[in-house]
Amino acid sequence: SQQGEEDPQALSIQEGENATMNCSYKTSINNLQWYRQNSGRGLVHLILIRSNEREKHSGRLRVTLDTSKKSSSLLITASRAADTASYFCATDASNFGNEKLTFGTGTRLTIIP
Amino acid sequence: NAGVTQTPKFQVLKTGQSMTLQCAQDMNHEYMSWYRQDPGMGLRLIHYSVGAGITDQGEVPNGYNVSRSTTEDFPLRLLSAAPSQTSVYFCASRNTGTGGSAFFGQGTRLTVV
């Protein structure tokens, strides 16, 4: 079964609003990563947060990680039409002898101009 | 620097035919992997490799074979295609040991009729 589950499955917001997506996972991790996928394309890495970090920022992206709840959230501020895409979280347990990168089911984000 | 290159981009097979999906990376990454992406199911890991000569099964390995004779190449073989293997296939690579981010190819859209 997949490690990560994103919530919600789909999200539609007006341009300029903030978008928040959540990810829950099941086992101990080394880090958690977020990726974006534009329609018909490969995934692109956005941001990585390590298990000893609680919050990380990159431009308009803010990621939080709560290892006690095994959950993470991705916040996109001041959304733009170009942010329309699917977003996936992925867990890395490489410090636990598991090199696999396991993805969740994704959140489909639509920004309405 | 090409990154991860997948070929072909599109393929139609008849049930029972065999084929090989090619994947090559030029970043000297030890870890390479194959995922399939189906609607509503996110990315599911088929096989992965942590170095030349080393491969292991992922979440959905049945019907697929892999080999890793060089660091650069990680082909995925479908021995006898079935309609259930209709999907979009992605190859990815990343550094191991440091828990790094993954780089994806552009995908292969496979239809089995």
Side-chain angles (χ1 to χ4, degrees):
Chain A
S1 61
Q2 289 176 286
Q3 166 78 306
E5 296 290 336
E6 280 93 338
D7 172 59
Q9 291 187 354
L11 178 63
S12 292
I13 61 173
Q14 295 289 334
E15 190 169 18
E17 294 181 338
N18 296 340
T20 300
M21 289 158 270
N22 302 296
C23 170
S24 60
Y25 58 92
K26 300 175 183 175
T27 64
S28 296
I29 62 171
N30 180 37
N31 66 66
L32 186 143
Q33 305 175 23
W34 285 90
Y35 290 78
R36 182 185 72 216
Q37 183 182 34
N38 291 97
S39 181
R41 308 295 297 272
L43 279 71
V44 175
H45 178 258
L46 293 176
I47 192 167
L48 180 155
I49 186 166
R50 301 197 183 281
S51 60
N52 61 353
E53 299 176 310
R54 292 297 167 258
E55 187 171 312
K56 199 162 185 180
H57 296 255
S58 177
R60 294 184 295 112
L61 305 180
R62 172 179 167 249
V63 171
T64 62
L65 179 64
D66 186 335
T67 54
S68 67
K69 295 181 179 179
K70 291 185 168 59
S71 68
S72 173
S73 68
L74 172 68
L75 169 67
I76 303 173
T77 60
S79 63
R80 305 167 181 171
D83 294 329
T84 293
S86 292
Y87 293 81
F88 294 87
C89 67
T91 53
D92 170 4
S94 54
N95 59 337
F96 296 94
N98 183 354
E99 295 287 353
K100 293 182 287 186
L101 192 62
T102 306
F103 285 81
T105 52
T107 293
R108 174 69 187 166
L109 175 65
T110 301
I111 307 301
I112 304 167
Chain B
N1 190 341
V4 179
T5 303
Q6 278 184 246
T7 56
K9 291 186 178 180
F10 302 94
Q11 183 70 49
V12 178
L13 289 179
K14 294 182 179 179
T15 298
Q17 286 185 317
S18 63
M19 80 160 293
T20 299
L21 279 63
Q22 301 292 344
C23 177
Q25 53 94 7
D26 60 0
M27 296 171 283
N28 202 33
H29 287 164
E30 291 294 326
Y31 179 94
M32 295 186 75
S33 56
W34 278 100
Y35 295 88
R36 59 177 289 173
Q37 185 175 31
D38 302 293
M41 303 207 56
L43 276 78
R44 292 183 291 169
L45 183 63
I46 305 171
H47 285 285
Y48 67 102
S49 168
V50 297
I54 306 169
T55 63
D56 207 345
Q57 297 181 348
E59 185 183 358
V60 288
N62 292 339
Y64 308 95
N65 278 355
V66 292
S67 60
R68 185 90 180 273
S69 57
T70 67
T71 298
E72 294 78 19
D73 300 300
F74 190 45
L76 177 72
R77 298 183 187 85
L78 284 70
L79 302 177
S80 179
S84 61
Q85 293 178 305
T86 293
S87 187
V88 181
Y89 292 83
F90 289 99
C91 178
S93 74
R94 68 182 186 133
N95 282 320
T96 55
T98 59
S101 60
F103 293 80
F104 279 80
Q106 288 303 299
T108 297
R109 184 173 296 274
L110 175 67
T111 302
V112 183
V113 298

